[in-house]
Amino acid sequence: MTSPVYYVDGRFVPADQATLPLGDLAIMRGYGIFDFLRTYRRVPFKLREHVLRLYSSAEQIGLAMPWSVGEVEAIVHETNDRNGYDDAAIRIVVTGGPSPDLMMPGQQPRLAVMAEPISTPPERQYAQGVGVTTTRMARILPTVKSLNYLGAILAVVEARKIGAVEAIYRTPDDHVTEGTRSNLFIFRGGKLLTPESGILPGITRQVVLEVAAREYPVVLTDLTYADLLGADEVFITSTTKEIVPVVKVDGQVVGGGRPGECTQDLMERFKAYVDRCLTEAVA
Ligand code: PDD
C-alpha cells in the first residue's frame, strides 16, 4: 500500500517524510491540541463540529489559530481527496510551534492534517459488548482535546492486561466521567444518563443525545461508580467506536452481561442518522 499523504505546516508530503522540528512546544512540553474525525464513504462526518471543537480547545489553552475555519476545512478536504480512502480517520493537529525559551508560546503554531484508513473495533465488540476498567488518573482541562494523553496511555495499558478495551476516569469523590478516548452513558429505569461537565464534549455523544432525545428521557447528570455498577445498560461512544456496549466494569458484570435492548436500539438509530447525513451530503 502506498504511504498516506499528510499536510504539514503548509505542504503536502508522504507520511514517512512528515516531520516537525524537535523544538516545537508540542514535543518539548505537550503544548498543542488536535481533533479527530472520520469519513463515511469519503464524506467527512461532522467536519464543522470537529473544527469548531478544535478552535474551542485552542482558545482554552491560549493557542493562536492564524487560520480561518474555512481554511482548516479546505485543508482537511484536500488531504482527504489526495488520499482517497473510502473510510478515513483524519487527525487535525495544532502544535505550539517554536518558543525562544522552550516554555512561552509564540505566535507561530503549526498545523498538520493526517489521514489513514480507519481502523474500527471488531464486530464481536458490538455483538457481545466489552469490558472497561476505571482509573484514578485525571485529565487536566478535560474540555480540551490536548495532545497530552499520558494518563490515558498508562490507564489503557493497565486495562488491556485484563482484557478490557477502555479505562474510565474515576474522580477522588467516586464519580465516573468519561473514557480515555470515549464518552460514557448508562440507561437506568428507561432513562438515558450521561455526565454534563468535566468531560470532552464528544461529537458522537452529541449525535447520540440528539437521536436518543426522540425516544428516551435524557438526563445530563454526574454519575457515581455505584451508578455505573448498578446500571441497566452501559455504553461508550467515540468517532471510531460509534456506540459500543459495555458488559463488564473492573471485572464485574454490568447490565446482565450482554448488550442491552435500548443500547442496541440506539446503535441502529445512530447508523440510520449517519445514512441520512450521507444522503443529504450527496443530494
Ligand atoms: N478520542 N473523550 C475523550 C477524552 C476523547 O479523547 C474522545 C475521542 C472522546 C469522544 O469524542 P468523539 O465522539 O468526538 O470522538 C471523549 C479520539 C477518538 C482519539 O483520541 O482517538
Side-chain angles (χ1 to χ4, degrees), residues 40-41 45 268-282:
Y40 289 95
R41 283 170 261 149
F45 184 62
E268 291 299 315
R269 289 181 191 282
F270 186 90
K271 286 208 182 305
Y273 180 98
V274 171
D275 283 343
R276 279 201 302 280
C277 287
L278 291 181
T279 315
E280 280 163 25
V282 294

Side-chain angles (χ1 to χ4, degrees), residues 34 36 50 53 91 139 145 149 178-183 200 202-205 237-239:
F34 75 108
F36 178 89
H50 282 281
R53 187 172 67 182
R91 210 169 271 273
R139 283 180 71 215
K145 201 157 170 58
Y149 273 59
E178 65 181 330
T180 63
R181 289 186 296 168
S182 58
N183 288 113
L200 185 80
I203 308 299
T204 320
R205 171 183 179 275
T237 64
S238 82
T239 295

